[in-house]
Amino acid sequence: MSVLQRPMTAREWGLLALLSLLWGGSFLFIGVAVRELPPLTFVALRVGLAAAVLWASVPLLGVSPPRDGKAAAALLVLGFGNNALPFSLIAWGQTHLPSGLASILNAATPLFSVIAAHFLTREEKLSGMKLVGAVAGLAGVAALLGPSLLIGASVDAWAELAVLAASLSYALAAIFARRVTRLGLKPIDVAAGQATAATLLLAPLALAFDRPWTLPWPSAATIGSVLAIAVFSTALAYVVYYRILAGAGATNVLLVTLLVPATSVALGALFLSERLMARQFLGYGFIALGLAFIDGRLPRAVMRKLTGPGASPADSRLPTRENPR
């Protein structure tokens, strides 16, 4: 059985739960920190501290700097598309949105990934099941955005669009990242390199626009949130993510996308007294359904149940990673 489709071990499920807590917690930490820090300053601190932690872990993780200009340029692109731009958009969006809603909107990333991959790659075209998933997921996005857009160009509508734009940025960066693997960089090298590149991009902007030395000294809660999101939700999360990816495969690690919003909504309700509306949960339901079809395992299991052991050989043509059509 392929590593992409094999059942996960108890240890891998534990790592997946840990990753959902780390990434779900990031929305909580953002929600706390942006009450006192401008988004650019906050994100520059996040990536800068995360890069410092990753490079300080060289003896343990074996991080290596890029060996040539081509690798350095690729890391710069990734640092922009996978860190600097989406982190900044989400941080600004959360100055107006609950952390749980931001995490639900961010769950659209795999939907954008399969749609973008259909147009930008030769090998990852939309199968029937992925198309159903994409339509269901986009219906969920419409349920989330529709009322805000009908009201007009409100601040909340722009904030929701900013978080969705961050999801699109993640999706495009993920497609580009596949080319980076051909440059001989280990996953941990990519993590440290893109965090470093994002720091180099954001630090001058934060200094120029926010003038952080003029800001009031932040509270203990804000300082703790910055440290937590940098060390745990960024640096440690990268290590855990790539550990799951290496062991359980890309299809299994996709499951974290379903878990992160649930974790974030629970943390937001517990620590920030946030409450989401029924339509926002409905939107997440459609997005989760879409992700289930994109992943493929649950629909195939249901189909096997319905058809029974006497199913025709045609059932084997259900789309999988190995058999996309």
Side-chain angles (χ1 to χ4, degrees), residues 50-298:
V53 169
L54 288 167
W55 287 113
S57 304
V58 166
L60 181 63
L61 301 176
V63 183
S64 303
R67 297 172 186 172
D68 54 44
K70 199 170 184 180
L75 290 174
L76 187 65
V77 173
L78 273 182
F80 174 76
N82 212 30
N83 287 166
L85 180 60
F87 285 2
S88 299
L89 288 170
I90 292 171
W92 180 80
Q94 281 196 239
T95 61
H96 303 284
L97 301 176
S99 60
L101 177 56
S103 69
I104 291 173
L105 290 165
N106 189 238
T109 298
L111 306 176
F112 292 140
S113 293
V114 297
I115 295 170
H118 176 78
F119 293 102
L120 299 178
T121 69
R122 294 180 179 178
E123 66 277 5
E124 293 196 39
K125 300 301 179 183
L126 280 171
S127 64
M129 194 175 291
K130 284 184 177 180
L131 181 60
V132 171
V135 171
L138 291 175
V141 171
L144 292 169
L145 288 182
S148 298
L149 295 178
L150 287 174
I151 293 171
S154 66
V155 173
D156 285 356
W158 284 112
E160 290 171 356
L161 289 171
V163 178
L164 275 181
S167 301
L168 178 60
S169 183
Y170 282 135
L172 295 175
I175 294 172
F176 177 78
R178 296 168 197 172
R179 302 180 182 180
V180 178
T181 59
R182 305 169 193 163
L183 300 177
L185 294 168
K186 301 190 299 293
I188 196 63
D189 298 339
V190 176
Q194 69 181 15
T196 303
T199 305
L200 295 175
L201 291 170
L202 286 171
L205 294 176
L207 291 172
F209 290 103
D210 293 342
R211 303 176 67 206
W213 60 88
T214 66
L215 300 174
W217 189 256
S219 66
T222 296
I223 293 172
S225 294
V226 171
L227 292 174
I229 199 171
V231 175
F232 298 112
S233 298
T234 308
L236 178 60
Y238 275 135
V239 176
V240 174
Y241 171 80
Y242 286 120
R243 183 68 57 87
I244 300 171
L245 191 64
T251 301
N252 284 321
V253 82
L254 177 68
L255 294 172
V256 76
T257 315
L258 293 169
L259 301 176
V260 166
T263 304
S264 180
V265 168
L267 292 173
L270 185 62
F271 293 103
L272 300 178
S273 300
E274 295 177 348
R275 297 292 182 268
L276 299 185
M277 293 180 285
R279 69 171 176 82
Q280 293 167 341
F281 285 106
L282 177 65
Y284 174 58
F286 274 107
I287 291 174
L289 180 65
L291 295 178
F293 272 89
I294 289 171
D295 175 71
R297 281 172 288 188
L298 180 59

